[in-house]
């Protein structure tokens, strides 16, 4: 990642004044430099000890010479190199990016016309690389930067001359799993055809938002690359034909890179509407073009020469994270996010995107960034969408206020639901000095992973969709949770039972396949139902991955129950619903609060009718208060629907962050210190659409007996949908 | 790249007691870091791309004992020293119980020693005591290693253990002694909570002896490694204060982890002998 210059860093190399560090690797350091003429450059300086080896210097010199011979507008040009300097260096033009990986992660798949332009131009670029006698060997979304007039292929860091067999005799796999050819995956020598295969992967990724061989461990990716067919679902027509050819397992069957040119012949036709003038950026969709333009503008604002930075006392961590939009940084981002964006939700996303938060703002106005960390794929896709939309709407409302002192931009990153990617995403936000707070993560595991990073970076974040407070052990300052604890939702079921009838005898299944949240909720439910409210319980805990839920339900059906609770994952709960329906059970039935908004009504069909979900998640369209009506109307205007489940809580959380952040911004302007927001938030009271938020000692939404009754909502499945009946204990005049 | 610097799972070994107890106010969760076991884990230096999920103590089904005789030899062969659980412990008399019987909580909420179930190959309990030296009373620790016929069988046993305090808020141990008020949590390793093995269960409650004025604190841990479970109970000294109890709990949990680490190592060696790579065996533990 990029950092300010350190005292030991050289002030200049080969006529380039060095401005800051873009990154450091095993071989040396990459700096952002400025030539005497003022052009920005990425200057790679090899450490003396790495260059001690004569063979290395020879290879470096050859690489630089060959790279300098590449002539293509779509390949980043070499500006200079010196293999004989005590510390050899290589300078290439600096492209502010973003990388293709970052663009897709942030904005979703590119439209077909853009993918075809991308394919044609990158094919041309590879043709020029191969023509110069080089094989790139690491063509991937992170190595493709986007500029307004076309892509740029970068990073010859591991490029080798095609006739240099000695360097690959080791059989080491060189490249990035998931974006390298079957022959490279097997450790065989990679020729130009390997680059064509990798380009096919890159284009598939750009078109679908998914790496064509999925995500996972390098070993799994390599295996799938060799043995499986690529995932090209959703790619059709000529692009499909070209990708099929590029991704042929046999290198002999792949086209020459120049042959991809045919992709562009009709691409420009749909890229430019008839009668319109083609602007230079017409090949990119608007949101991506805006990002590209913003990056370019930021790099223009870099100082001619920046003095070595001395850490601010007491906040060394934030001093090390000075702003940077640099090629190396974008490289890193591209690499991380590329893997992060494998979710199937990505395509869906692009289709329904609306981006009210990204309207251009006057250049003089300060802009702060609200990060949104979500898991777009899998079961949490809907949750992610609600959070992203809520953040964008809240930011747009802020930006529409003429009295604002600054504008707010929303930046969304997908953490793929895994520890590694959640950690990477958090590092990415932490390193962006403009990010003042983050909404998310959306899942318990990603929250635990990311909160460690945010704690170290003192970056405040609020998770509105989780209910476990483990984070407090390692992140007692900056992590907040506006989602209610799962335990409280156990009490909520018992309380709703008490309010709606006699307690009676409840069969309660805790299905461990649903994760530890099921036990959080179920354990409390059992004790509350029995010990606090005086009912009877027959509890059953079902082992994970056994399918024993059905046997537990069968057993409970023989126990003369008045009520039934199944706390488990979606499919198992729907199965239980069908089992109860077949048995003619007519007592009250509850599912886990986590299934509110899920596909349960459709999956369970008629058997799901009448089931309850009790949750703090509100449907504001069913409330009559002014705030709920205002949000519902704004949402409908922006997104064409009423606010979806969990949208209101994400919206409240974003507004609370914005409100408290505003109070930390110094009146004379300037950037507030990051820890200030968390300190305010810990003491804040925020009146949301349907809930009042304060935090307890563990930075968890402070639920009280009153809010548990009055601000927790009973939803019932009716006519195949969740219908909000009202709060457990209706407040006078609220309904 | 610096930005992908791994953040160490600083609290990975810490036992986190989060959530409300049966008598607690909903939402007022308590989060207490109650110390870490021995950190023999390699989790301190994961590569940025390495997933901590692969680090659970586990035992591949293929490396586990297959017959009752093998299982009995396995549970007897484990090294379990009294000082695993902290200074001052010694073996109780009788020291070992099993391996052909185990304890079962009946429908009537009474614990009884019974012959092994068909899905269990061996179960051996070792008992330890830290004698009273300061007038606060002795501490009793037991450790039970159980070999199930399959991973699924062991998972079901973990579910049974979680169900017990829910269906029996008072569990009778014998005519005069019982445990009560147990709250529990079960943490699968892949949820990144506090688990060190495939699945860690922890329960906390009270140990009551009829005629005694004051209940003692009672802890129960049960960790699953593939088809094997390692359970420990701790009956605290009646006169110990909170800090002393926390220390005793930490130390005892450390003893459990010595044993689970040993089983993990034995399994990896066994797999290597059988020609399977250690990594594959590790990953195969649960699936």
């Amino acid at each position: 990642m990029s950092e300010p210059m350190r005292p030991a860093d050289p002030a200049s190399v080969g006529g380039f004044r060095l401005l800051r560090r873009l990154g450091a690797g095993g071989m040396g350091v990459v700096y952002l430099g400025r030539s005497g003429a003022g052009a920005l450059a990425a200057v790679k300086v090899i450490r003396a000890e790495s260059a001690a080896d004569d063979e290395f210097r020879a290879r470096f010199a050859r690489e630089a010479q060959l790279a300098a011979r590449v002539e293509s507008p779509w390949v980043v040009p070499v500006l200079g190199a010196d293999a004989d300097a005590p510390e050899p260096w290589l300078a290439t033009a600096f492209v502010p990016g973003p990388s293709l990986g970052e663009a897709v992660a942030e904005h979703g798949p590119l439209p077909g016309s853009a993918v075809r332009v991308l394919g044609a131009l990158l094919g041309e670029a590879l043709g020029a690389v191969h023509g110069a006698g080089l094989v790139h060997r690491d063509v991937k979304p992170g190595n493709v930067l986007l500029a307004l007039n076309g892509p740029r292929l970068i990073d010859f860091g591991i490029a080798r001359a095609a006739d240099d067999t000695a360097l690959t005799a080791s059989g080491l796999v060189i490249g990035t799993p998931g974006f390298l050819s079957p022959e490279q995956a097997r450790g065989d020598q990679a020729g130009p055809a390997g680059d064509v295969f990798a380009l096919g992967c890159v284009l598939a990724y750009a078109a679908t938002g998914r790496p064509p061989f999925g995500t996972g461990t390098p070993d799994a990716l390599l295996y799938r690359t060799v043995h499986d067919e690529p995932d090209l679902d959703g790619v059709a027509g000529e692009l499909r034909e070209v990708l099929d050819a590029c991704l042929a397992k046999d290198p002999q069957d792949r086209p020459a890179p120049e042959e991809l040119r045919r992709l562009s012949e009709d691409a420009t036709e749909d890229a430019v509407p008839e009668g319109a003038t083609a602007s230079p950026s017409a090949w990119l969709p608007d949101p991506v073009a805006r990002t590209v333009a913003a990056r370019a503008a930021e790099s223009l604002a870099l100082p001619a020469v920046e003095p070595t930075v001395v850490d601010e006392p007491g906040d060394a961590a934030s001093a090390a994270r000075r702003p940077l939009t640099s090629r190396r940084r974008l490289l890193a981002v591209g690499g991380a996010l590329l893997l992060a964006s494998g979710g199937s939700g990505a395509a869906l996303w692009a289709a329904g995107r609306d981006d009210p938060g990204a309207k251009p703002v006057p250049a003089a106005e300060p802009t702060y960034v609200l990060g949104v960390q979500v898991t777009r794929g899998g079961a949490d896709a809907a949750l992610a969408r609600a959070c992203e939309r809520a953040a964008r709407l809240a930011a747009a409302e802020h930006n529409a206020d003429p009295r604002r002192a600054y504008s707010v931009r929303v930046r969304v990153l997908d953490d793929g639901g895994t520890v590694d990617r959640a950690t990477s995403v958090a590092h990415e936000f932490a390193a962006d000095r403009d990010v003042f707070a983050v909404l998310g993560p959306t899942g318990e595991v990603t929250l635990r992973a990311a909160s460690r990073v945010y704690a170290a970076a003192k970056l405040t974040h609020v998770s509105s969709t989780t209910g476990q407070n483990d984070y407090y052990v390692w992140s007692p300052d900056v992590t907040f949770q506006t989602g209610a604890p799962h335990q409280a939702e156990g009490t909520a079921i018992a309380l709703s039972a008490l309010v709606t009838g006699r307690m009676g005898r409840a069969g309660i299944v805790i299905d461990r396949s649903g994760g530890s949240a099921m036990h959080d909720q179920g354990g409390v439910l059992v004790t509350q139902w029995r010990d606090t409210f005086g009912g009877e319980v027959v509890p059953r805990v079902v082992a994970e991955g056994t399918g024993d839920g059905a046997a537990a339900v069968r057993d409970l059906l023989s126990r003369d129950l008045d009520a039934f609770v199944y706390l488990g994952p979606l499919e198992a709960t729907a199965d239980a619903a069908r089992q109860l329906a077949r048995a003619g059970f007519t007592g009250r039935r509850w599912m886990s609060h986590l299934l509110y908004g899920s596909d349960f009504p459709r999956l369970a069909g008629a058997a799901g009718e009448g089931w309850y979900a009790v949750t703090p998640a509100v449907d504001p369209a069913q409330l009559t208060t002014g705030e709920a009506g205002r949000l519902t109307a704004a949402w409908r205007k922006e997104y064409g629907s009423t606010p979806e489940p969990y949208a209101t809580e994400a919206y409240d959380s974003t507004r609370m962050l914005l409100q408290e952040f505003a109070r930390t911004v110094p009146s004379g302007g300037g950037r507030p210190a990051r820890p200030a927001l968390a300190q305010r938030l810990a003491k804040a009271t925020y009146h949301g659409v349907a809930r009042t938020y304060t935090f307890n000692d563990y930075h968890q939404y402070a639920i009280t007996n009153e809010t548990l009754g009055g601000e927790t909502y009973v939803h019932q499945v009716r006519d195949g949908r969740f219908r909000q009946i009202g709060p457990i204990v209706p407040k006078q005049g609220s309904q | 790249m610096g930005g992908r610097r791994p953040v160490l799972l600083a609290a990975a070994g810490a036992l986190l007691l989060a959530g409300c107890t049966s008598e607690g106010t909903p939402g007022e969760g308590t989060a207490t870091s109650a110390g870490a076991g021995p950190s023999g884990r390699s989790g301190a230096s994961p590569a940025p791309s390495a997933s901590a999920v692969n680090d659970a103590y586990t035992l591949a089904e293929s490396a586990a004992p297959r017959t009752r005789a093998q299982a009995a030899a396995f549970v007897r062969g484990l090294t379990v020293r009294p000082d695993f659980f902290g200074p001052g412990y010694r073996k109780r008399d009788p020291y070992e119980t099993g391996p052909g019987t185990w304890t079962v909580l009946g429908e009537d909420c009474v614990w009884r020693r019974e012959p092994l179930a068909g899905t269990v190959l061996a179960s051996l309990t070792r008992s330890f005591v830290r004698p009273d030296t300061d007038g606060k009373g002795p501490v009793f620790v037991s450790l039970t290693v159980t070999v199930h016929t399959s991973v699924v069988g062991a998972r079901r046993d973990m579910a049974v253990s979680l169900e017990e305090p829910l269906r029996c808020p008072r569990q009778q141990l014998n005519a005069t002694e019982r445990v009560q008020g147990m709250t529990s949590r079960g943490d699968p390793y892949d949820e990144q909570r506090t688990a060190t093995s495939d699945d860690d269960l922890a329960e906390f409650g009270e140990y009551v002896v009829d005629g005694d004025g004051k209940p003692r604190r009672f802890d129960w841990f049960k960790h699953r490694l593939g088809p094997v479970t390692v359970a420990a109970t701790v009956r605290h000294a009646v006169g110990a204060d909170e800090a002393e109890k926390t220390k005793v709990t930490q130390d005892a949990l450390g003893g459990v982890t010595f044993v689970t680490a040993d089983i993990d190592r034995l399994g990896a060696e066994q797999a290597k002998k059988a020609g399977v790579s250690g990594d594959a065996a590790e990953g195969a533990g649960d699936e």
Side-chain angles (χ1 to χ4, degrees):
Chain A
M1 305 305 287
S2 129
E3 303 168 17
M5 300 293 283
R6 296 178 187 173
D9 285 330
S12 70
V13 165
F16 293 91
R17 304 179 81 171
L18 303 186
L19 304 178
R20 54 174 51 253
R21 284 170 160 246
L22 297 180
M27 302 294 282
V29 180
V30 181
Y31 298 95
L32 175 64
R34 203 185 276 285
S35 74
L40 290 172
V43 185
K44 185 200 291 189
V45 178
I46 307 298
R47 245 195 300 276
E49 56 266 32
S50 302
D53 171 3
D54 284 347
E55 192 194 335
F56 172 81
R57 279 182 188 270
R59 206 162 65 211
F60 186 90
R62 190 165 56 238
E63 177 188 343
Q65 277 168 9
L66 291 171
R69 292 206 319 243
V70 177
E71 274 191 40
S72 165
W74 319 122
V75 177
V76 168
V78 172
L79 302 178
D82 185 353
D84 297 318
E87 296 197 315
W89 57 268
L90 174 92
T92 59
F94 174 77
V95 180
S99 74
L100 175 64
E102 189 184 25
V104 172
E106 196 162 341
H107 299 287
L110 297 181
S113 58
V115 177
R116 292 209 294 279
V117 172
L118 192 68
L121 300 183
L122 288 176
E124 202 180 304
L126 276 183
V129 169
H130 297 163
L134 281 163
V135 179
H136 188 289
R137 288 199 195 166
D138 200 15
V139 177
K140 61 180 178 181
N143 278 343
V144 174
L145 301 186
L146 303 181
L148 287 177
N149 61 350
R152 298 290 188 284
L153 185 61
I154 61 158
D155 205 344
F156 291 83
I158 54 170
R160 300 288 181 262
D163 59 354
D164 189 349
T165 51
L167 296 172
T168 54
S170 67
L172 280 175
V173 171
I174 296 171
T176 303
F179 290 92
L180 48 70
S181 62
E183 60 268 31
Q184 278 171 288
R186 283 191 297 259
D188 296 345
Q189 192 193 337
D195 284 347
V196 173
F197 186 94
L199 177 56
C201 295
V202 167
L203 296 177
Y205 172 77
T208 66
R210 305 181 303 270
F213 296 99
T215 57
T217 62
D219 282 350
L221 289 174
L222 294 176
Y223 181 90
R224 289 201 290 268
T225 303
V226 174
H227 298 285
D228 291 359
E229 288 308 309
D231 166 15
L232 296 175
D233 284 356
V235 184
E238 189 180 29
L239 181 60
R240 177 60 183 258
E241 288 168 25
V242 170
L243 291 190
D244 281 337
C246 289
L247 293 172
K249 301 292 184 204
D250 185 343
Q252 307 288 328
D253 295 341
R254 296 178 204 143
E258 291 86 349
E259 290 176 46
L260 270 68
R261 198 179 297 138
R262 70 180 168 115
L263 280 175
S264 73
E265 275 149 26
D266 49 357
T268 38
E269 281 168 28
D270 7 41
V272 183
E274 207 178 346
T277 312
S279 81
S281 59
W283 77 288
L284 288 173
D286 283 353
V288 179
R290 276 202 295 272
T291 303
V292 171
R295 302 284 186 196
E298 284 176 50
S299 76
L300 289 177
L302 282 166
V305 173
E306 188 184 50
T308 300
V309 170
V310 177
D311 287 357
E312 296 157 39
D315 197 5
S318 74
R321 276 184 291 277
R322 297 297 300 262
L324 11 124
T325 299
S326 70
R327 180 191 135 176
R328 281 294 154 173
R329 168 172 165 244
L330 294 173
L331 260 177
V333 172
L337 293 187
L338 154 67
L339 292 170
S341 58
S344 58
L348 200 111
W349 216 270
R353 183 196 331 285
D354 208 339
D355 200 2
K359 281 162 190 152
V361 295
E365 185 181 25
T367 299
Y368 295 108
V369 175
L370 173 73
V372 179
Q373 177 174 352
V374 296
T375 301
R376 279 177 175 167
D380 285 345
L383 217 59
R385 195 166 89 132
C387 288
E388 176 174 348
R389 285 178 158 194
R392 289 191 192 284
L393 179 62
E397 288 171 353
H398 169 94
N399 294 340
D401 185 343
R403 294 161 304 166
R404 72 188 182 277
Y406 50 86
S407 65
V408 171
R409 185 167 71 83
V410 171
R411 182 176 175 206
V412 183
L413 293 179
D414 177 4
D415 64 24
T418 68
V419 169
D420 291 346
R421 294 180 219 167
T423 303
S424 296
V425 162
H427 276 300
E428 191 49 37
F429 280 137
D432 182 344
R433 198 178 64 152
D434 289 336
V435 173
F436 70 92
V438 173
L439 176 70
T442 47
E444 306 287 357
V445 171
T446 49
L447 171 62
R448 286 195 266 281
S451 56
R452 297 170 195 273
V453 180
Y454 292 130
K458 298 183 167 53
L459 179 56
T460 302
H461 68 122
V462 175
S463 174
S464 61
T465 53
T466 55
Q468 290 178 337
N469 68 347
D470 304 33
Y471 57 81
Y472 187 77
V473 173
W474 53 83
S475 182
D477 296 321
V478 300
T479 303
F480 295 83
Q481 195 167 53
T482 51
H486 301 311
Q487 288 100 334
E489 301 319 303
T491 303
I493 290 178
L495 186 62
S496 78
L498 183 71
V499 168
T500 55
R502 71 184 189 94
M503 299 300 292
R505 179 187 292 152
I508 299 172
V509 179
I510 297 171
D511 182 342
R512 298 194 74 201
S513 294
S516 60
M518 301 300 114
H519 193 267
D520 285 355
Q521 188 179 14
V524 171
L525 170 60
V526 166
T527 53
Q528 296 283 13
W529 190 291
R530 178 183 58 210
D531 305 336
T532 308
F533 298 130
E536 281 181 74
V537 290
V538 189
R540 287 288 176 266
V541 179
V542 169
E544 71 281 15
T546 56
D548 287 351
V553 173
R554 198 179 317 121
D555 172 45
L556 289 173
L557 279 168
S558 68
R559 300 296 186 110
D560 190 23
L561 303 176
D562 302 299
F564 187 92
V565 184
Y566 198 96
L567 304 176
L570 174 58
E571 288 77 11
T573 309
D575 286 345
R578 281 187 288 270
Q579 212 176 336
L580 291 181
R582 279 196 303 274
F585 182 82
T586 55
R588 289 168 293 166
R589 288 144 291 162
W590 284 267
M591 68 186 82
S592 162
H593 65 297
L594 295 174
L595 293 189
Y596 169 62
S598 73
D599 220 11
F600 175 88
R602 191 186 60 78
L603 267 183
E609 290 290 309
W611 276 68
Y612 291 107
V614 183
T615 161
V618 70
D619 179 356
Q622 302 301 314
L623 298 183
T624 54
T625 60
E627 263 303 286
R630 190 193 63 74
L631 172 63
T632 302
W635 199 276
R636 202 188 292 279
K637 181 160 174 279
E638 224 32 268
Y639 304 116
S641 70
T642 57
E644 50 262 42
Y646 309 105
T648 307
E649 294 71 34
Y651 177 79
D652 281 344
S653 302
T654 306
R655 299 251 297 179
M656 175 166 49
L657 281 169
L658 291 171
Q659 172 187 296
E660 296 304 320
F661 176 67
R663 293 170 179 166
T664 68
V665 177
S667 55
R671 191 184 302 274
R674 270 185 175 167
L677 176 55
Q679 286 159 12
R680 286 206 65 93
L681 210 54
K683 291 175 276 184
T685 298
Y686 179 78
H687 299 286
V689 170
R691 280 160 74 187
T692 296
Y693 296 83
T694 56
F695 295 103
N696 67 15
D697 289 345
Y698 307 105
H699 286 185
Q700 205 169 19
Y701 167 59
I703 199 160
T704 64
N705 284 340
E706 190 175 285
T707 57
L708 182 70
E711 298 176 2
T712 303
Y713 293 86
V714 179
H715 303 262
Q716 188 174 33
V717 178
R718 290 182 186 171
D719 304 325
R721 292 176 49 192
F722 285 100
R723 308 276 175 155
Q724 181 167 294
I725 293 174
I728 298 176
V729 183
K731 281 184 281 194
Q732 286 196 326
S734 74
Q735 289 282 299
Chain B
M1 296 274 160
R4 302 186 64 192
R5 166 177 57 90
V7 169
L8 305 182
L9 302 182
L15 173 72
L16 175 77
L17 310 177
C20 56
T21 59
S22 54
E23 62 272 12
T25 304
E28 294 194 348
T30 56
T32 316
S33 176
S39 60
R41 311 173 49 80
S42 61
S45 58
S49 60
S51 172
V53 171
N54 295 326
D55 287 340
Y57 290 140
T58 188
L59 182 71
E61 214 169 57
S62 58
R66 289 299 176 79
T67 65
R68 294 213 158 188
Q70 285 172 2
F74 176 85
V75 295
R76 284 196 192 285
L78 292 168
T79 302
V80 184
R81 294 166 47 112
D83 60 8
F84 277 16
F85 305 97
Y89 284 93
R90 53 185 70 156
K91 292 177 181 177
R92 271 182 97 182
D93 184 23
Y95 174 52
E96 290 183 343
T97 318
T101 59
W102 68 339
T103 54
V104 174
L105 183 66
E107 283 289 316
D108 56 359
C109 297
V110 177
W111 283 97
R112 293 182 187 84
R113 189 156 274 281
E114 292 183 359
L116 297 178
T119 57
V120 178
L121 295 174
S123 183
L124 185 69
T125 298
R126 294 168 169 89
S127 303
F128 305 90
V129 61
R130 195 183 77 181
D132 182 14
T133 53
D134 53 8
K136 291 175 178 170
V139 178
F140 296 98
V141 168
S142 76
L143 182 97
T144 303
V145 181
T146 303
V147 181
H148 299 261
T149 53
S150 67
V151 172
V152 167
R155 281 189 195 152
R156 287 181 170 137
D157 186 47
M158 295 296 279
V160 164
S161 293
L162 280 169
E163 189 175 292
E164 282 160 357
L166 297 179
R167 71 178 170 90
C168 295
R170 283 159 61 109
Q171 301 168 19
Q172 206 69 35
L173 300 174
N174 54 46
T176 59
E177 297 177 335
R178 65 181 184 272
V179 294
Q180 62 186 33
M182 302 293 284
T183 57
S184 58
R185 59 181 281 176
D187 293 319
Y189 191 82
D190 60 7
E191 287 195 33
Q192 304 284 313
R193 301 191 84 176
T194 56
T196 57
S197 67
D198 289 333
D199 188 16
D200 289 8
L201 176 160
E203 296 188 3
F204 304 89
E206 292 179 345
Y207 193 102
V208 179
V209 180
D210 283 352
D212 279 9
K214 209 176 152 191
R216 299 130 202 246
R217 174 160 135 189
F218 185 72
D219 310 332
W220 185 17
F221 305 105
K222 188 163 177 172
H223 294 190
R224 182 177 66 76
L225 299 85
V228 171
T229 58
V230 178
T233 62
V234 183
R235 196 204 316 174
H236 288 259
V238 69
D241 64 25
E242 279 309 308
E244 287 164 336
K245 288 177 192 168
T246 300
K247 178 76 164 58
V248 163
T249 298
Q250 282 175 16
D251 287 351
L253 187 56
V256 172
T257 316
F258 283 128
V259 178
T260 55
D262 201 32
I263 292 172
D264 181 85
R265 184 183 55 76
L266 287 173
E269 281 173 9
Q270 177 76 22
K272 210 171 277 176
K273 268 188 231 154
V276 186
S277 89
D279 281 351
E282 213 175 314
D286 213 8
E287 299 308 333

